[in-house]
Each structure stands twice: as structure tokens, then as C-alpha cells.
Amino acid sequence: MNKTVSINLGGLFFHIDEDAYQKLNHYFDAIRRSLSTDGRDEIMSDIEGRIAELLTEKLKNDNRVVSLREVEEIIAVMGQPEDYRIDDESAEKTSSNSYSGFNPNYDYNYKTRKFYRDGDRSIVGGVCGGIAHYFRIDPLWIRIIFILSLFITFSASLFVYILLWILIPKAVTTTEKLEMTGEPINISNIEKKVKEEIGQFGERLKSMDYEKFGANVGSGAEKVGNGIATVFMAIFKGLAKVIGAVITICSALALGGLVVFFVTTLFTSALVNTPWLSSNHIFNFTDIPFWVVGLLMLFTFGIPVFFMFLLGLKIMVENLKPVGNVTRYTLLALWIIALSSSIYLGVRYATEIAHEGKVMKELAINLPQEDNTLRVKLRHNSLFSKSVDNRYDFRITQDSTDNDVIYSNNVEVHFIKTDKEKPYVEIEKLAEGSSPSEARKRAEKINYNFDFKGNTLTLDNYLLTDLDSKFRMQRVKVYVYLPEYSVLEIDRNMRDYIRSDYSELSINYSDKDQMYHLENDELKCLNCEDNIEEPVEVEAIVEDAVNFEVDSNDENGKRENVKVKMKADENGLQIETETKRN
């Protein structure tokens, strides 16, 4: 049985058994003896902070006691004190190579590299320096790219810089600076970093005598600048909090909607003979259970929304506990699987409606001689709708024999000129499917009726098809072909069904019945208000006589000339004729 000791290491409390405590204490004493007096306390503070971080990562349970094994593992990571003695020449070389913030000898495979702002060599906020450390390039190139981006993006990159300035933490401690540069966090690098900072601070002290006169002025300017920077930082932090709140609220609402949708699909899938399942049956091109589709939508869209929700919380809450790696990678794997499955189902969905099939039927129209006006109108079925004007692109209902059918008003009427002597009509039924033959079979199952009696062509304003055919863009197109000089009468109830996609013959939209005459590739309205000529008043006739001659043959075949004289006066219209035979 071992005793346990409570220690404070780097500001954190740990329970450690006595053997591990003795090992760790001797390790600290050895490090302290190996360090020179310059910067020893600061180096020891950074080393203790780093060891505290490593212990926190290893102890998954807060109640767990630090054992000798954890201490030995940490010592193996940090290294022995006698292995990391740094001579003055090496320290001087490190100092001379680090003035630009770019070290070509970084360990590129070091796994603890993190994104921080470089405050030691910053010009404005240290963002460019931090990006340069993260991507292992000289910060000069990052600054040049940022300056050029100001002109390319019309200063929009300035907002991105400010946002990064607010969100990215600044590297303050020695551990954070080593993480920023990608160097291993061990005794050697911590000592090296601290000595480098002490050397830089000493250089500043040496130059202080030469700048003694401007010290006060510089101090005042620095205070003003710090005050302005503090105000702007407070404003931008407040703006960031507002943005974070908006992101959090919107993401929470979207995530809640996705969860409700999935729960709805999950529970309604267990119900039988519900309208929800009927609609799913005819729209489900891939025959996948509807709850599976809901689950894929939840993972495909819900996981990115969830991370957006965490981003908003992170902006609002500074000390938010991050999501563990296991949870993060599990969600990433689920999202990749869901996205791949959704893409696969999308491809299958598109394949199911990739081909179009149609069947056509032609009807000759024989108009009576006494009335050669073709009248066209629509009719509705009161079982499905009480008016022609009530239109549905799609609806599930029952016919007169109590069979479930798909009802649709997807009907189009087109008027086209023909060179034939008599008018005729073509009925085209269309549907879509995974192959031309399958699409044609669905088109053949469309039920559409019309008839022609006397001089009236009556068309249904709806189509029907059985529920097993599913919804595959079923529609009907009616083409009425008219020869030259045809007279057409169109019922007012057709105004919402007429299309002119395949012809230049246009029909006016009107609430009244209209008469048209086809002449010179144009349908001229005969009873439209814009085409009715005003009657000529009698007062407009002048009193001057109108004379003209007509040459013709009489009943015996002899040539004759007829002179006509017309005159209008107060007594009315007077006509005089004079005939001369040759």
C-alpha cells in the first residue's frame, strides 16, 4: 500500500503516490541543478506547466492517482537534464537564426504544432507570423500576400484579418511559443527559448541609454496606442460575441429541425395506411425505407450544423471544453459514410428519371359545312374537383371504383398551323423512367379522355394513373393543328392551360370566350375589344358625289359599260346608273 500526496503543479492539483512523487521531485531537482542562474525560475515554471499538461492528457479520470509509470513516461518525453546542456555558441546561433521568425530546421512531423499569433515579432497583431509558423514559410511572403489581397478582395481580407486577430490566441508562455514553432516541448527547447528571450531583453536594456531622451515620449505614445487598441479590441470582441450568438441560435434551430424530421420519419414509418407513407411510396424512386432517408439527412446535414453550433459556442465562451478526438473522428467517419450514401442515392434518383417515354394518338376533325368554326373547351370531373380553375400538379385520391389513383392537372394545350386541308388533334402522353421502355410503359398507363361532337372538341383538364406507377412526371400535351383561314372559338376556361412553346400562334389571356381567325401565320381575334372597329357615323359622309364605271358582259355575251353615280344629301343616299352596250 502506497501513500498518496496532493501537489500543485503549474496551477493544477494532482493526487500522486509517494514513489512517483519522489521520482518527480528528484527530476525537478536535477533539472534545477543543470540550469544556470540566468532565467532558472522562468524555465522551471515553464517545465512544470508542460508536465502538468502532459499529466492532464494522461489522466482521463479526475479521481485517478498519478503512478510511477506516468511519471517515467513523462520523463521520457521531456528528456534527462544531462542530455540537454546548451553551450553559449549554440544559444547564440539559435538567437541569430530566430530573428526573422522562420527556422528551416523545424521538425515537420512534430504532432503538437498549434496555431497561435506571434506577438514577439508582430507588426500589427501577429496573425501573419502565426500563419507563417503554421505552414513553415517565411512570414514576409504571408505579409506580401495579405497586402496584395487587400486590392484583389476590395479590402474584404481586412475583415478576415481582424476576425483571426480576435479568435486566434496569442502565444504567451514558452510552451505555447514552442507549440507555435513546431519544436518539441522538452527541457532543451524550453531552456533555449527562455535564454533567447533573456538575451533579447538584455539587448533592449543595452540600447536603453541611447534612447533615454525619447523614453517618456515613447511611453506616452505607447499608452495612447494601447488605449486605442483596447477600445477596438473591445468592439471587435463584442461583434464576435454577436456573430457567435447568431451562429449558435441558427445552428441550434437547424439541428432541432433535422432531429424533429428524423423522429417524424422514424415513428410514422411504423404506421400503416397513412398519407405520409403513400406520398413516400410514389416519390421514393430508390425503394429505400423512409426512416433511412431521414437518418442520412440527419447525419449529412446535422453533423456540419453541429460543428457550426460548437464554433458559435467557442466564440461566445472562452474556456469551452473541446470535443474529444474519439468523438470528433467518429462524427467525421459517420459524416463521410452518410455523404457517400446520399450521393449514391442521388445518382440512383437521377437515373430513375433519366429517360422520357411517350405514346401518341391522333384524331381527325371533320367540321360540318354549315358551321366550320372549331370550338375547343375543357371539362372537369366533379369527383376530383368542383371547377376547372382548381389545379393540382399532383394528388393522391380515389376514383369511382374506390381505387387509389394519382390525380394531376398537368395538361397543356398547343395550337399549331398545318399545311393539311382539315384540322386534326394529337394527344401526347409522357412519363419518365430509368429506361425508354419503362418510361413508355408508364406513359401507356396514363388515363386521359377527350371527344369531338358536332364542331366542339372537349378535353379533360386532368389525367389519372394508378398508384403503382409512382410519380414520374406524368403529363399530357394536346396539339390542335389548324389549316389556313380556320375559325377558332376558345372557351374562357382554357386560359390557364394554353401554351405556345412549339408555335408562334398566340392566344390572349381573357376571362371571356374568344373567336380567332387564322390568316398569314397569325391568329387574329375577332371579338377582342382591341380589334373591334367603331361604327362610322353618317355625319362623316361628305356630300360630294362618288362616280365609278364597271365593265361586264350581259346575258347575251355582249360587252357593256355601267356608270354608277352615288350622292348623299339630306334626303339620304341616291344612286344613279347608266348602261352602254358596245
Side-chain angles (χ1 to χ4, degrees), residues 75 114 172 329 440 462 472 575:
I75 292 175
K114 294 184 179 179
V172 178
Y329 291 125
R440 181 179 175 82
Y462 65 95
R472 294 297 186 272
I575 301 176

Side-chain angles (χ1 to χ4, degrees), residues 188-206:
S188 174
N189 288 327
I190 291 176
E191 183 181 1
K192 206 174 6 176
K193 197 71 176 176
V194 171
K195 286 188 175 182
E196 178 186 338
E197 294 177 357
I198 292 174
Q200 292 176 357
F201 182 72
E203 292 296 330
R204 294 175 184 174
L205 289 179
K206 291 180 181 179

Side-chain angles (χ1 to χ4, degrees), residues 223-238:
K223 290 180 179 179
V224 174
N226 290 336
I228 296 175
T230 302
V231 173
F232 277 101
M233 286 296 294
I235 294 174
F236 288 129
K237 283 184 179 180

Side-chain angles (χ1 to χ4, degrees), residues 234-296:
I235 294 174
F236 288 129
K237 283 184 179 180
L239 180 61
K241 298 291 185 182
V242 173
I243 295 175
V246 173
I247 294 175
T248 303
I249 294 173
C250 294
S251 302
L253 293 176
L255 192 60
L258 289 171
V259 172
V260 171
F261 174 76
F262 168 68
V263 173
T264 304
T265 58
L266 184 63
F267 283 96
T268 54
S269 298
L271 302 178
V272 183
N273 297 327
T274 59
W276 182 281
L277 289 181
S278 299
S279 301
N280 170 53
H281 171 70
I282 62 175
F283 280 107
N284 190 0
F285 294 179
T286 56
D287 295 328
I288 301 295
F290 200 42
W291 67 269
V292 176
V293 177
L295 183 64
L296 290 178

Side-chain angles (χ1 to χ4, degrees), residues 211-376:
E211 300 174 356
K212 201 169 184 181
F213 178 75
N216 295 330
V217 178
S219 177
E222 184 179 358
K223 290 180 179 179
V224 174
N226 290 336
I228 296 175
T230 302
V231 173
F232 277 101
M233 286 296 294
I235 294 174
F236 288 129
K237 283 184 179 180
L239 180 61
K241 298 291 185 182
V242 173
I243 295 175
V246 173
I247 294 175
T248 303
I249 294 173
C250 294
S251 302
L253 293 176
L255 192 60
L258 289 171
V259 172
V260 171
F261 174 76
F262 168 68
V263 173
T264 304
T265 58
L266 184 63
F267 283 96
T268 54
S269 298
L271 302 178
V272 183
N273 297 327
T274 59
W276 182 281
L277 289 181
S278 299
S279 301
N280 170 53
H281 171 70
I282 62 175
F283 280 107
N284 190 0
F285 294 179
T286 56
D287 295 328
I288 301 295
F290 200 42
W291 67 269
V292 176
V293 177
L295 183 64
L296 290 178
M297 289 187 63
L298 177 63
F299 285 156
T300 304
F301 298 101
I303 292 176
V305 171
F306 173 72
F307 280 105
M308 289 294 295
F309 176 75
L310 291 181
L311 175 62
L313 286 180
K314 189 174 182 180
I315 295 175
M316 296 175 59
V317 182
E318 296 180 356
N319 298 324
L320 181 67
K321 186 176 180 180
V323 179
N325 290 333
V326 176
T327 304
R328 187 182 308 168
Y329 291 125
T330 301
L331 291 177
L332 178 62
L334 288 175
W335 180 75
I336 293 175
I337 294 173
L339 180 63
S340 303
S341 302
S342 300
I343 293 174
Y344 169 74
L345 292 181
V347 172
R348 283 195 57 186
Y349 184 96
T351 304
E352 287 293 323
I353 55 175
H355 299 275
E356 182 182 79
K358 62 182 176 180
V359 292
M360 296 183 62
K361 183 178 181 181
E362 183 175 323
L363 173 67
I365 297 178
N366 296 314
L367 296 173
Q369 295 182 355
E370 61 274 10
D371 187 3
N372 60 355
T373 299
L374 175 62
R375 295 179 174 85
V376 185

Side-chain angles (χ1 to χ4, degrees), residues 506-521:
S506 59
I507 305 295
N508 297 331
Y509 187 89
S510 176
D511 293 334
K512 299 179 180 180
D513 298 346
Q514 295 181 348
M515 294 282 294
Y516 288 90
H517 181 252
L518 179 58
E519 183 178 354
N520 297 328
D521 299 330

Side-chain angles (χ1 to χ4, degrees), residues 1 17 185 320-321 527:
M1 181 181 296
D17 63 35
I185 306 174
L320 181 67
K321 186 176 180 180
N527 61 344

